[in-house]
Amino acid sequence: MSRLEAKKPSVCKSEPLTNETVRATLSVLKGVLTSCYGPSGRLKQLHNGLGGYVCTTSQSSALLRNLSVTHPILKILTTSVQNHVSCFSDCGLFTAILCCNLIENVQKIGLTPTTVIKLNKHLLNLCTNYLKSEACGCRIPVDFSSSQILLCLVRSILTSKPACMLTRKEIDHISALILRAFLLTIPENTDDSIILGKSIIVPLKGQRVTDSTVLPGVLIEMSEVQLKRMLPIKKASALKVALFCVSLSGDFADTGEGTVVVSYGMSLENAALDQLLNLGRQLISDHVDLVLCQKVIHPSLKQFLSTHHIIAIDRVGVALMEPLSKVTGTQPIGSIGSVSSSSYGIVKELCSAKFGSKHFFHLIPNEATICSLLLSNRNDTAWDELKLTCQAALHILHLTIKEPWALLGGGCTETHLAAFIRYKARNEPESILTDDGCTQAELQLIAEAFCSALESLAGSLEHDGGEIVTDMKYGHLWSVQGDCPSVVNWPDLLSRCGCGLYSSQEELSWSFLRSTCHPFAPQTCLPHKTVSPTSNLIVDCLTAKLSGLQVAVETANLILDLSYVIEDKN
Amino acid sequence: MSRCVGPGGRQVLCTKPTGEVLLSRDGGRLLGALHLEHPIARIVVACVSSHLKKTGDGAKTFIIFLCHLLRGLHAITEKEKNSWISENIQTHERHWKNCCQWKFISQALLMFQTQILDCIVDRYLSRHFLSIFSSSAKERTLCRSSLELLLEAYFCGRVGRNNHRFISQLMCDYFFKCMTCTSDTEVFELVDDCFIELNVGVTGLPVSDSRIIDGLVLHRDFSVYCPADGDIRMVIVTEIIQPLFSTSGSEFILSSEAQFQTSQFWIMERTKALMKHLDSQNVKLLLSSVKQPDLVIYYARLSGISVVECLSSEEISLIQRIIGISPFVLPQASSWYAISNSALVKFCKPFILRSKRYVHLGLISTCTFIPHCIVLCGPVQGLVEQHENALHGAFKMLRQLFKDFDLNYVKQTSDQNDTSNPLIHKNSRESNQLLKISNHSIQKPHHDIVVKNGDELEKTQAYLKVHSNLVVSNIELETYIPCSATKPTPTNTFQIDDTLKYLSSEKNRIIDDYELLTDNNLTGNSKTENTRVEIPYEYLQVTKISRTKSKLPVRYKSLDLGTPQSYHSSSMPAGSVLPVGGNFEILLHYYLLNYAKTCQQSEEAMVSTLIANALLGIPKILFKTKKVNYSFPQIYLRTLHALQTNQLMVSSQAGLESVIGKYQLLTSVLQCLTKILTIDLIISIKRQPQKIYDQDSEDEL
């Protein structure tokens, strides 16, 4: 029974950002996110009082998914970050923290939202143009002829997720695996357009991390008994495969809207089974060696096939259908009548494999762009984190192949960008203020807020009480160990900058990040010799970071622009 | 509400009980989200939403204007009440008296809206109208820069201020990509009706990634995708292709197992044959509104036919509207004939947006709409929806703008044939004969209206000279058609004595007759029997004609409209616009006050001043945030001064807005106000609303 109830009027609040509680919750959220940021970030354990398992993570995607925020403003922030992460899989925390920083900094200034938004937009354009331009001093080209930068990219992603609980050696192992899995999905002989394949992540929980491996082709999990029954496979040459997407259990498909009258004594089951056996005979005469079915195969048909030495595997599931059809080159068969000979495919080899306690059928293709990545980690939560990280890394590699550039990581891009903006705003304000309405003083204020948002973002990479300094030539980030003596020889204390591109032996001068320093022009145009093969760089994906920057500024603008919140309390 | 109005307005965040977050600056949406309780407020909200449904613009202005009107009314009644207190009337009685008075006012308002408003708009305001069509060519071409200005002004008030320029550029691009040179309002109708199908929302990307895509994007993925080159034909099906055992209402009797097997075999063969047949007809794409069985999919794949299933009925109807084919009907018998209901497709390929797959079709349009899609990106769903709604609203606004709007107002007109180009046409040999009309009311300006016959051969210009004499409330229609020798000159005079008995039927008749005469005139001149009736409406354009107090009208062409333009009778021409920034309101205010001064009846004057003052509330809010130089009193004085000295108005802001939208807004507000004022008691009922069974609906069943 439905209950009618009059709708309650909504609650309308004005100027939500001036509210003290909103500010407090925003800063709490920022605190949570900031403490997770970077390789030395702290982990968060998420309990749900109502049940479910405990999640240990430092990733934005897992964190925000499990975190429930109530205030609409926070909701906007978190959904916008989540949407970004679902598009790019990376730079989620970067986006969220930058957005919080911007909102906080701008509120301190007290300019009208109109000018703030306009200027933020100008500064964002300045940033994106700079990052896309040739002169950009914080991006490096990705060279696909060597695996160096790609490996750096994957390793940077893995190191920035401390909840995976990997040692240095394990990180090296996993990043090599991820890169190999990615390379296996690239087709060998390409025409004009490349269609990348897919890597399927197969869980292997409870094993050592170094047991993880990559195999070409598809793995189908099954019980040991089943496997024993089917093996050994005698055939040495390639196997002929039929892949069915209809049910082979003899059930009756759609009969239409009218009624079907079955006369007494007639057995539809027998009729259906006859049809199935006919199909079986056809398969035998076509010399099929392996029958795969998405749904269920009738036991009689199974029996019939196995007596003729045909391996039948059913209940494959819809998720594996596309990879299977790619690996074997079959067309999924939708008919239980005649089967066209063009729908059959071929597998190079079929063997059994055992990883840990699990048994698999392994379909090895001649050449295909499908591979299986067997991932193992010590416990469930760490495995979940590792799986998310691997997916993110594979996605990032995809994005990098589309746009072969990488940004310097480790906070160097942020400090460099901040130095660049500060210099531009001070020395060439006319180029930023293209249209009317904003004064140069306003620009100075907003540029300072924008830069300090970027710098404090870079600074939040440091969690162990260390100090952050920046050099006055490249604008990179250097971190100093905590409790250092006050007057020291800087080059001795610092070894390499955040991204690892420059060493401290280059006659540089440093200043503290949060101190007021004279704006300088950071050196653009990277020298070409930079990436030596041994150098261990930290790099980020350009596409993801650029979009993260844009989303962060746009979301901050959106939140600053709010003048009312109408809450529907029904 | 006032904080969201205009370019300086800010966003409002709405949350729903389901947890959705919505960003909006759309007045109608905000009003709906507020869930107001007061019955009067609900009437207002209902009025606003019905207004929005029609025009897609002006909800916030609606509320502000209404508010000011009510305040003004209150002030008037307060004043009168004070005088009544001395008469010592009982409270209850006073209430009734109050109501009577309100009703009286509401009648006056209604009268104002139906009679005076149109006349003022037409006679005075239309001089200030600009047009978004550039008239350099014979054809009515749209001026891109003015459309940009118009859209920018529109989006200023609708989307966040950091995005409005980008969105208006996007819309402008979209508009010009979709339009062909022969496109007409039908395009707007199509886009307006099917807007949901014509855009794709993507969350998680920055707004600047939004773009326009050639062709149509269907919100589905291919069930089967077979890449095909060259000539691709497609068919639309709305039923399951595979024959089934029984259809509804029939019975299928299975008597033996062999029969069952043969019938299944027959079904299979039949499906296979059908697919082969489609393939042989070069059909490579099958669009289906239902889910097809596995068998169909399988055979489609074998024949190399791509299949898209489960399309919504809206998508199907949009495709049908664009390419004009009807769904494919399955052949009943075994006779195969050529498939007529197929259409050629330029391309069809999968389209991946943020790891979601869509179908991208390049349709070849048979109507004037060239299919394009908008991909709208934004960090959150709320923002994408806001942009989507704003774009939809903009199309509604344009749809209204591109229509002529007939005003219920007929003037005393006199036609005259004028030959501006005597060399071209011999018929136009009569010299520039100016009709002498004795103008009795000198303070009333002459209104010159120029009709330009858009025929390429003839440059005949007919100056319709209008002389209005409303003070005496007489409307005379005098039509002199001094035509060439072939036609007699009909002279008709209509006289209606009393404006108050101005029935609509009579009005229509007069307008009809008038059009007829014009028609005669034109056909007489051109001797071509084409659709000349349409011409005056097709080529309507506005001239700014200076108001002079002399008897001979001096015309000058407005600066931005180079060639002589035409104007015709009492209809608002399509595409007339005014600069933004409260120009419409200030102008109307000025003319209403002028009118009120000349009014004899007191309540008419009262109503006009009331409305005039309320109108000023809108620009007051718009200029609230501006610097000293642009503050409201400054602008107001400057405009009034310009009006009095017959100068051209200098607009401080770039941007245009639709006059028709404004006009409709005004009438909607007045109607809403009369509705409110006629209510005298609110009876609240605490019972559950009882279901009212509609008797008509039963009859229909």
Side-chain angles (χ1 to χ4, degrees):
Chain A
M1 211 180 91
S2 64
R3 236 178 80 217
L4 270 174
E5 205 175 300
K7 285 200 165 180
K8 281 174 242 136
S10 306
V11 179
C12 185
K13 289 180 209 144
S14 70
E15 296 297 335
L17 277 180
T18 54
N19 191 341
E20 206 48 54
T21 53
V22 176
R23 286 189 188 193
T25 41
L26 203 62
S27 73
V28 167
L29 181 74
K30 187 192 148 193
V32 169
L33 297 173
T34 313
S35 63
C36 291
Y37 192 48
S40 61
R42 305 291 186 248
L43 306 187
K44 300 284 168 287
Q45 231 178 24
L46 297 161
H47 297 259
N48 191 337
L50 297 176
Y53 63 97
V54 176
C55 165
T56 310
T57 187
S58 70
Q59 281 191 51
S60 59
S61 54
L63 197 65
L64 295 176
R65 191 170 52 214
N66 292 315
L67 215 60
S68 75
V69 289
T70 45
H71 198 275
I73 286 189
L74 295 188
K75 227 177 242 172
I76 283 206
L77 207 159
T78 52
T79 42
S80 126
V81 172
Q82 277 176 298
N83 285 333
H84 165 79
V85 170
S86 67
C87 281
F88 296 100
S89 306
D90 197 17
C91 298
L93 285 176
F94 167 85
T95 310
I97 300 170
L98 181 60
C99 185
C100 290
N101 279 347
L102 276 174
I103 294 170
E104 252 179 30
N105 287 353
V106 160
Q107 274 192 298
K108 281 179 210 151
I109 296 175
L111 287 175
T112 60
T114 323
T115 33
V116 170
I117 287 165
K118 214 182 265 176
L119 288 170
N120 268 345
K121 182 106 182 157
H122 288 319
L123 292 176
L124 175 67
N125 281 341
L126 186 69
C127 287
T128 49
N129 290 340
Y130 178 64
L131 289 179
K132 282 177 187 165
S133 72
E134 286 295 319
C136 176
C138 53
R139 67 169 198 180
I140 47 176
V142 174
D143 182 12
F144 282 98
S145 59
S146 87
S147 64
Q148 193 60 44
I149 292 269
L150 291 174
L151 213 53
C152 286
L153 196 61
V154 177
R155 201 185 289 126
S156 311
I157 294 168
L158 281 170
T159 42
S160 70
K161 310 287 193 282
C164 295
M165 308 281 185
L166 301 180
T167 61
R168 179 162 285 276
K169 209 177 136 202
E170 286 165 345
I171 286 180
D172 287 344
H173 179 70
I174 295 285
S175 45
L177 282 187
I178 291 174
L179 191 56
R180 200 180 320 145
F182 174 69
L183 294 176
L184 278 174
T185 61
I186 299 173
E188 275 172 34
N189 35 1
T190 54
D191 334 337
D192 43 350
S193 66
I194 303 172
I195 298 167
L196 289 181
K198 198 178 169 189
S199 3
I200 305 161
I201 294 179
V202 182
L204 267 188
K205 291 179 189 177
Q207 300 292 306
R208 283 178 302 163
V209 178
T210 42
D211 287 343
S212 310
T213 180
V214 170
L215 296 171
V218 178
L219 288 174
I220 303 170
E221 194 184 337
M222 60 181 44
S223 70
E224 200 179 352
V225 187
Q226 267 180 306
L227 205 63
K228 284 257 171 65
R229 201 189 301 147
M230 290 170 190
L231 293 174
I233 303 146
K234 286 155 206 131
K235 203 164 179 180
S237 61
L239 299 138
K240 205 169 187 182
V241 186
L243 178 65
F244 284 89
C245 64
V246 286
S247 165
L248 295 181
S249 62
D251 51 357
F252 208 43
D254 189 15
T255 56
E257 284 168 348
T259 46
V260 176
V261 179
V262 182
S263 51
Y264 181 73
M266 187 191 141
S267 164
L268 280 182
E269 289 78 15
N270 283 345
L273 194 56
D274 272 354
Q275 268 185 323
L276 287 178
L277 291 178
N278 278 335
L279 178 70
R281 275 178 215 112
Q282 198 201 337
L283 291 175
I284 290 162
S285 67
D286 285 344
H287 303 290
V288 172
D289 302 299
L290 175 63
V291 175
L292 297 164
C293 181
Q294 181 191 338
K295 292 164 187 171
V296 182
I297 303 181
H298 197 283
S300 312
L301 180 62
K302 242 180 177 172
Q303 181 71 33
F304 177 77
L305 291 174
S306 71
T307 53
H308 291 86
H309 305 291
I310 295 177
I311 302 166
I313 301 171
D314 63 347
R315 301 172 207 254
V316 168
V318 74
L320 269 185
M321 285 304 279
E322 207 192 320
L324 276 177
S325 113
K326 262 195 186 158
V327 160
T328 56
T330 55
Q331 288 174 336
I333 300 164
S335 144
I336 54 169
S338 60
V339 175
S340 156
S341 58
S342 63
S343 330
Y344 296 128
I346 271 178
V347 163
K348 187 177 152 203
E349 207 181 323
L350 183 68
C351 60
S352 68
K354 183 170 182 284
F355 295 99
S357 57
K358 287 183 173 177
H359 295 267
F360 296 97
F361 242 133
H362 185 195
L363 302 175
I364 304 166
N366 272 330
E367 64 171 83
T369 55
I370 304 290
C371 67
S372 301
L373 175 59
L374 288 125
L375 271 188
S376 57
N377 208 342
R378 291 170 199 92
N379 55 37
D380 275 5
T381 47
W383 187 84
D384 286 343
E385 185 82 1
L386 184 60
K387 186 196 164 200
L388 277 178
T389 312
C390 285
Q391 282 172 339
L394 286 169
H395 193 185
I396 288 300
L397 288 171
H398 266 234
L399 292 175
T400 311
I401 213 171
K402 277 185 203 151
E403 204 170 354
W405 291 95
L407 284 177
L408 299 175
C412 287
T413 297
E414 287 86 347
T415 46
H416 179 90
L417 211 54
F420 172 75
I421 292 170
R422 201 169 270 145
Y423 177 76
K424 277 271 179 188
R426 185 66 58 88
N427 294 6
E428 305 164 29
E430 312 82 37
S431 64
I432 305 172
L433 294 170
T434 44
D435 57 352
D436 57 334
C438 302
T439 61
Q440 292 201 5
E442 284 168 339
L443 175 70
Q444 296 303 334
L445 280 173
I446 296 298
E448 188 52 45
F450 197 91
C451 293
S452 74
L454 279 173
E455 280 172 351
S456 72
L457 174 68
S460 53
L461 281 168
E462 179 62 58
H463 296 281
D464 301 319
E467 199 60 62
I468 298 275
V469 292
T470 176
D471 66 88
M472 307 289 282
K473 187 181 176 194
Y474 304 110
H476 278 212
L477 175 140
W478 307 71
S479 89
V480 192
Q481 291 294 313
D483 59 274
C484 59
S486 52
V487 184
V488 283
N489 189 15
W490 283 109
D492 294 344
L493 205 58
L494 309 161
S495 56
R496 286 210 154 262
C497 71
C499 62
L501 192 63
Y502 300 111
S503 81
S504 56
Q505 310 303 325
E506 294 188 38
E507 304 277 315
L508 298 169
S509 61
W510 284 276
S511 81
F512 283 103
L513 197 58
R514 292 184 183 88
S515 65
T516 50
C517 59
H518 183 71
F520 62 97
Q523 184 179 333
T524 54
C525 292
L526 283 174
H528 284 293
K529 51 107 195 171
T530 47
V531 193
S532 59
T534 53
S535 69
N536 211 346
L537 287 178
I538 295 179
V539 283
D540 289 331
C541 171
L542 173 77
T543 324
K545 200 144 204 172
L546 197 62
S547 168
L549 182 72
Q550 282 171 308
V551 166
V553 178
E554 274 182 15
T555 313
N557 279 349
L558 206 62
I559 290 172
L560 289 170
D561 202 16
L562 294 176
S563 80
Y564 283 99
V565 172
I566 299 175
E567 270 184 277
D568 193 340
K569 295 278 188 185
N570 288 304
Chain B
M1 192 57 79
S2 68
R3 271 193 231 181
C4 311
V5 174
R10 293 172 64 184
Q11 302 257 23
V12 176
L13 183 73
C14 303
T15 61
K16 281 190 182 172
T18 49
E20 282 171 82
V21 181
L22 200 78
L23 280 160
S24 191
R25 288 182 66 192
D26 177 357
R29 199 167 266 265
L30 294 181
L31 285 175
L34 277 173
H35 287 303
L36 293 170
E37 243 176 341
H38 197 271
I40 295 283
R42 275 158 68 174
I43 291 182
V44 175
V45 172
C47 285
V48 171
S49 63
S50 69
H51 169 74
L52 269 188
K53 213 174 276 172
K54 200 171 153 199
T55 57
D57 192 12
K60 287 166 286 188
T61 324
F62 188 105
I63 296 294
I64 290 164
F65 185 43
L66 187 65
C67 206
H68 280 275
L69 273 178
L70 284 173
R71 270 183 215 153
L73 265 180
H74 192 67
I76 291 169
T77 44
E78 277 293 314
K79 216 185 283 167
E80 292 184 18
K81 217 184 271 174
N82 288 339
S83 61
W84 285 345
I85 287 167
S86 58
E87 290 169 31
N88 208 355
I89 308 168
Q90 282 180 347
T91 343
H92 189 71
E93 223 170 298
R94 201 166 67 208
H95 174 73
W96 286 110
K97 196 127 192 178
N98 241 343
C99 289
C100 285
Q101 194 198 3
W102 280 341
K103 191 169 179 205
F104 194 57
I105 292 171
S106 85
Q107 276 170 347
L109 278 173
L110 199 65
M111 205 182 73
F112 172 83
Q113 185 235 311
T114 47
Q115 292 160 21
I116 302 162
L117 181 64
D118 284 355
C119 134
I120 286 175
V121 165
D122 189 59
R123 279 202 306 182
Y124 307 118
L125 221 52
S126 52
R127 281 184 282 117
H128 301 277
F129 290 172
L130 310 173
S131 178
I132 60 166
F133 300 115
S134 64
S135 50
S136 51
K138 283 276 177 287
E139 287 287 308
R140 181 171 80 164
T141 51
L142 202 55
C143 177
R144 180 168 177 124
S145 59
S146 45
L147 184 72
E148 266 171 23
L149 286 176
L150 176 77
L151 287 174
E152 206 163 288
Y154 179 84
F155 285 114
C156 257
R158 298 298 294 269
V159 299
R161 78 197 79 172
N162 43 350
N163 292 324
H164 71 86
R165 188 154 296 163
F166 178 76
I167 293 286
S168 71
Q169 279 298 325
L170 190 76
M171 164 99 177
C172 213
D173 288 343
Y174 183 72
F175 182 78
F176 279 101
K177 277 188 179 165
C178 287
M179 294 285 268
T180 49
C181 51
T182 54
S183 289
D184 214 346
T185 49
E186 120 185 64
V187 174
F188 295 108
E189 277 163 36
L190 193 138
V191 174
D192 185 15
D193 293 343
C194 309
F195 192 73
I196 302 156
E197 281 72 42
L198 287 173
N199 74 69
V200 187
V202 183
T203 53
L205 296 176
V207 176
S208 50
D209 280 7
S210 308
R211 59 191 180 274
I212 294 163
I213 286 168
D214 178 34
L216 197 64
V217 175
L218 302 175
H219 297 225
R220 293 282 181 281
D221 189 17
F222 284 106
S223 303
V224 180
Y225 175 59
C226 308
D229 297 325
D231 269 5
I232 307 173
R233 298 196 78 82
M234 71 161 201
V235 288
I236 299 173
V237 288
T238 52
E239 56 194 333
I240 291 174
I241 287 179
Q242 177 186 354
L244 296 170
F245 276 105
S246 55
T247 53
S248 68
S250 74
E251 208 170 63
F252 181 73
I253 299 169
L254 279 174
S255 49
S256 72
E257 283 150 30
Q259 187 206 352
F260 169 69
Q261 281 172 358
T262 42
S263 51
Q264 280 214 320
F265 184 71
W266 180 80
I267 288 174
M268 243 176 285
E269 286 303 310
R270 175 98 184 149
T271 314
K272 196 172 164 183
L274 186 64
M275 283 298 165
K276 282 242 170 71
H277 175 61
L278 285 176
D279 188 33
S280 70
Q281 298 285 322
N282 214 5
V283 171
K284 291 284 172 213
L285 176 63
L286 198 67
L287 299 181
S288 165
S289 59
V290 291
K291 172 124 185 66
Q292 300 286 348
D294 286 335
L295 195 66
V296 176
I297 301 292
Y298 176 59
Y299 282 117
R301 200 193 301 267
L302 281 183
S303 314
I305 299 174
S306 306
V307 182
V308 185
E309 294 174 299
C310 304
L311 290 168
S312 67
S313 57
E314 288 85 16
E315 281 171 318
I316 292 283
S317 76
L318 172 65
I319 294 169
Q320 285 182 4
R321 269 173 91 165
I322 292 171
I323 55 175
I325 65 166
S326 53
F328 171 62
V329 186
L330 297 179
Q332 286 302 320
S334 54
S335 60
W336 302 111
Y337 47 84
I339 297 159
S340 56
N341 293 329
S342 68
L344 213 59
V345 179
K346 265 182 281 182
F347 57 84
C348 93
K349 57 192 180 203
F351 182 70
I352 298 172
L353 271 176
R354 202 205 130 175
S355 69
K356 207 177 159 201
R357 290 149 70 111
Y358 298 90
V359 174
H360 189 190
L361 280 184
L363 297 174
I364 297 169
S365 174
T366 53
C367 64
T368 50
F369 171 73
I370 307 165
H372 281 85
C373 269
I374 307 181
V375 177
L376 284 174
C377 301
V380 278
Q381 181 64 29
L383 196 64
V384 175
E385 262 174 47
Q386 185 188 18
H387 291 166
E388 195 180 308
N389 287 329
L391 282 171
H392 198 176
F395 270 106
K396 278 213 171 87
M397 186 264 294
L398 284 182
R399 184 179 176 174
Q400 292 289 325
L401 177 65
F402 279 68
K403 252 189 248 167
D404 294 330
F405 188 81
D406 289 324
L407 295 173
N408 295 329
Y409 166 64
V410 178
K411 295 154 287 194
Q412 177 183 0
T413 50
S414 43
D415 286 10
Q416 183 166 17
N417 209 342
D418 183 277
T419 54
S420 57
N421 266 325
L423 293 171
I424 293 175
H425 206 273
K426 55 176 179 171
N427 276 356
S428 320
R429 69 193 121 80
E430 284 173 48
S431 61
N432 202 341
Q433 177 191 20
L434 283 169
L435 201 72
K436 275 92 185 167
I437 302 167
S438 51
N439 196 344
H440 295 298
S441 54
I442 294 173
Q443 76 265 39
K444 287 288 147 192
H446 291 281
H447 192 120
D448 283 29
I449 291 167
V450 182
V451 169
K452 186 179 174 200
N453 190 340
D455 199 300
E456 298 205 353
L457 293 169
E458 297 168 331
K459 298 279 183 194
T460 316
Q461 285 188 335
Y463 290 125
L464 306 184
K465 202 167 172 190
V466 180
H467 166 63
S468 314
N469 196 351
L470 257 158
V471 183
V472 251
S473 297
N474 279 352
I475 289 188
E476 291 178 321
L477 183 80
E478 289 180 299
T479 318
Y480 302 97
I481 306 175
C483 235
S484 55
T486 50
K487 287 255 173 183
T489 311
T491 308
N492 292 14
T493 309
F494 297 95
Q495 235 171 14
I496 301 153
D497 285 330
D498 199 354
T499 341
L500 295 173
K501 292 173 190 170
Y502 201 27
L503 296 173
S504 57
S505 58
E506 280 176 311
K507 268 185 280 177
N508 286 341
R509 186 169 58 81
I510 292 162
I511 291 169
D512 285 346
D513 285 352
Y514 176 63
E515 281 169 10
L516 203 87
L517 289 171
T518 323
D519 193 22
N520 278 343
N521 181 15
L522 291 165
T523 43
N525 281 336
S526 64
K527 289 177 187 167
T528 45
E529 296 295 324
N530 50 15
T531 55
R532 201 46 51 85
V533 197
E534 301 300 322
I535 289 169
Y537 290 99
E538 288 281 337
Y539 295 92
L540 283 181
Q541 259 155 3
V542 194
T543 354
K544 274 186 160 182
I545 294 165
S546 74
R547 182 167 60 107
T548 54
K549 296 210 159 113
S550 66
K551 287 197 180 171
L552 280 171
V554 178
R555 286 174 288 110
Y556 74 90
K557 290 151 194 170
S558 69
L559 294 172
D560 46 349
L561 307 169
T563 53
Q565 291 128 8
S566 55
Y567 186 66
H568 183 267
S569 104
S570 46
S571 78
M572 225 185 268
S576 43
V577 284
L578 270 179
V580 288
N583 262 321
F584 178 84
E585 286 84 4
I586 295 176
L587 284 173
L588 197 59
H589 165 82
Y590 174 75
Y591 290 121
L592 280 176
L593 279 188
N594 267 5
Y595 177 76
K597 273 178 213 153
T598 60
C599 262
Q600 278 138 2
Q601 285 157 299
S602 67
E603 73 256 31
E604 233 173 75
M606 191 263 287
V607 164
S608 321
T609 37
L610 173 73
I611 290 169
N613 290 329
L615 274 171
L616 279 188
I618 296 154
K620 262 182 203 158
I621 286 171
L622 285 178
F623 289 107
K624 205 156 68 179
T625 53
K626 289 280 170 356
K627 308 257 161 58
V628 188
N629 211 11
Y630 289 104
S631 65
F632 173 69
Q634 290 264 345
I635 294 280
Y636 179 63
L637 285 178
R638 224 177 289 162
T639 318
L640 281 196
H641 182 73
L643 280 172
Q644 274 152 3
T645 52
N646 293 320
Q647 284 166 356
L648 268 179
M649 281 203 306
V650 202
S651 172
S652 59
Q653 284 156 313
L656 301 166
E657 60 191 345
S658 156
V659 173
I660 290 172
K662 284 277 174 197
Y663 171 79
Q664 281 174 339
L665 174 74
L666 203 59
T667 54
S668 304
V669 171
L670 291 178
Q671 271 161 6
C672 179
L673 187 64
T674 51
K675 214 191 255 179
I676 293 173
L677 286 179
T678 43
I679 294 169
D680 62 341
L681 257 186
I682 297 164
I683 303 166
S684 98
I685 300 165
K686 296 284 182 201
R687 220 173 24 168
Q688 289 273 319
Q690 284 171 335
K691 275 192 179 170
I692 300 158
Y693 292 103
D694 197 2
Q695 296 197 328
D696 293 343
S697 65
E698 276 171 29
D699 294 342
E700 280 165 26
L701 289 170

